[in-house]
Amino acid sequence: MAVKTIELKGVDPALVFGVRDAFINKIEESFAVRLVARGTKINLDGDEKTIAQIERVIGEMLATINRKGFIDERDVATLINLELGGQPLPGEITADTVILFKKTGVIKPRSVNQEKYFRATIKSDLVFGIGPAGTGKTYLAVAIAVAALRNHDVQRLILTRPAVEAGESLGFLPGDLTEKIEPYLAPLYDALYDMLPPEKVKVYEEQHIIEVLPLAYMRGRTLNNAYVILDEAQNTTPMQMKMFLTRLGANSRAIVTGDITQIDLPDRQKSGLIDALEILNGIEGIEFIYFDTTDVVRHRLVKEIIKAYNGENLKKPE
């Protein structure tokens, strides 16, 4: 016998449970297991094979809700009959493996280190994701934060980046300060727009549920009930990093991402990210997850480009 808890993330539990827990009761009767649904959690008590079957059914229920906006009794009965009728469901989507459901599919870890990263954010209030470009550090961080907002674990999202020029000056660009800073924040908006409709992002910004802002604007604030993401953290100074980390208030969580091989600070200043790795290592509640080229999820050439710049391309030009 085994015991397992499934936590529903980024979805209204009532859609999964059904009216008066009708869907949960149907699953319990069909698989002859003890199943208790409370809040956002489903507690299972049965043999491992049966629990795996139920996980697949619930995963497909979540996918159906994401696709249609709801699920009905016929859908649930079909999924149960498929699983019990010798045609096991794929099992690619389960509540445990999916970070966020979006209109075009699901966001979930696609490598061992991405899985560690995701698990770390569940266990710890402060997680550092360190590694090269294209490994999903920022994208997954935003997905994790959006899921927490949908699940009412937090009341708002704060996404921030240091406004440091990467080898080129943007000071000549036309417009006011906000328009000049916008290019620095574009990657964070790209991730948000992939997960939420642009009009929804705009409404959330107007209501201050979502804030996307330069790191300098964080000074003096205390952030309660928030998920906070610091991106491109290798371009913070030690004082900026300390300032950011001490903004966290009650019921807040944070993810810090960065690539220590791409530091754009002027005058060879020490990176606040490197400083934090040295100072904070070993503190309970803080985790450091390291990515490498095996985690790259962009164009296949990105992995080879990173290897080449790391000196791993041993082939000499003819």
Side-chain angles (χ1 to χ4, degrees):
M1 299 296 285
V3 176
K4 174 134 191 194
T5 298
I6 296 174
E7 184 163 6
L8 303 173
K9 301 178 291 293
V11 65
D12 182 353
L15 295 174
V16 181
F17 299 163
V19 178
R20 296 181 181 175
D21 291 345
F23 300 158
I24 291 298
N25 293 337
K26 178 69 174 175
I27 293 171
E28 186 176 44
E29 292 168 8
S30 302
F31 289 93
V33 295
R34 177 163 172 71
L35 195 155
V36 178
R38 288 179 181 164
T40 60
K41 296 181 179 180
I42 302 173
N43 297 312
L44 303 172
D45 190 349
D47 64 79
E48 291 185 3
K49 179 183 176 182
T50 303
I51 287 176
Q53 289 180 304
I54 293 173
E55 284 186 288
R56 290 195 288 269
V57 169
I58 292 174
E60 290 300 320
M61 287 173 65
L62 292 172
T64 302
I65 291 168
N66 181 62
R67 187 171 60 251
K68 294 171 50 177
F70 67 94
I71 192 167
D72 57 30
E73 290 182 19
R74 183 179 299 177
D75 294 326
V76 176
T78 298
L79 293 173
I80 291 171
N81 290 337
L82 284 171
E83 184 62 45
L84 290 175
Q87 298 180 31
L89 298 167
E92 294 176 0
I93 298 174
T94 69
D96 282 348
T97 60
V98 172
I99 298 172
L100 182 71
F101 286 88
K102 58 178 188 170
K103 288 299 181 184
T104 56
V106 299
I107 300 172
K108 65 179 190 174
R110 300 189 183 279
S111 72
V112 172
N113 288 326
Q114 287 188 0
E115 178 76 20
K116 288 179 182 176
Y117 187 49
F118 175 41
R119 299 297 170 200
T121 63
I122 294 172
K123 293 189 302 178
S124 301
D125 288 341
L126 175 57
V127 175
F128 287 77
I130 302 142
T135 51
K137 306 182 301 297
T138 302
Y139 188 78
L140 290 182
V142 175
I144 290 163
V146 169
L149 182 66
R150 277 191 187 172
N151 220 35
H152 306 292
D153 295 331
V154 295
Q155 295 177 358
R156 55 187 175 145
L157 307 185
I158 315 291
L159 286 68
T160 185
R161 272 184 156 207
V164 174
E165 295 164 352
E168 53 187 324
S169 175
L170 297 179
F172 66 89
L173 291 176
D176 58 20
L177 180 61
T178 301
E179 290 169 324
K180 286 178 184 291
I181 287 170
E182 209 169 84
Y184 293 108
L185 305 176
L188 296 174
Y189 278 111
D190 288 344
L192 280 173
Y193 291 152
D194 191 55
M195 299 168 200
L196 296 168
E199 59 274 15
K200 188 79 167 179
V201 175
K202 184 178 180 181
V203 169
Y204 278 160
E205 286 191 298
E206 290 171 351
Q207 297 173 346
H208 299 288
I209 294 171
I210 292 179
E211 293 183 64
V212 183
L213 71 169
L215 180 60
Y217 289 20
M218 297 281 286
R219 192 171 298 277
R221 302 184 65 181
T222 300
L223 304 174
N224 297 319
N225 297 306
Y227 219 120
V228 193
I229 297 172
L230 171 58
D231 192 34
E232 295 289 321
Q234 76 276 6
N235 289 329
T236 61
T237 65
M239 286 303 296
Q240 286 175 324
M241 178 62 78
K242 181 181 177 183
M243 179 272 291
F244 170 79
L245 295 175
T246 53
R247 299 307 92 203
L248 295 180
N251 191 39
S252 286
R253 305 169 77 87
I255 301 175
V256 177
T257 70
D259 178 1
I260 56 177
T261 69
Q262 292 190 12
I263 297 172
D264 301 310
L265 290 170
D267 303 324
R268 297 186 179 180
Q269 295 181 66
K270 185 173 185 179
S271 167
L273 179 56
I274 293 175
D275 193 57
L277 297 180
E278 297 168 357
I279 293 174
L280 303 178
N281 192 32
I283 296 179
E284 187 175 350
I286 301 177
E287 288 198 54
F288 299 89
I289 306 297
Y290 294 88
F291 297 84
D292 55 40
T293 53
T294 62
D295 302 299
V296 171
V297 291
R298 290 184 185 166
H299 192 287
R300 63 175 185 82
L301 286 178
V302 173
K303 186 181 298 186
E304 299 305 319
I305 290 168
I306 293 170
K307 285 182 178 179
Y309 274 93
N310 289 341
E312 297 176 41
N313 184 5
L314 301 178
K315 185 178 179 181
K316 302 294 182 183
E318 298 177 359

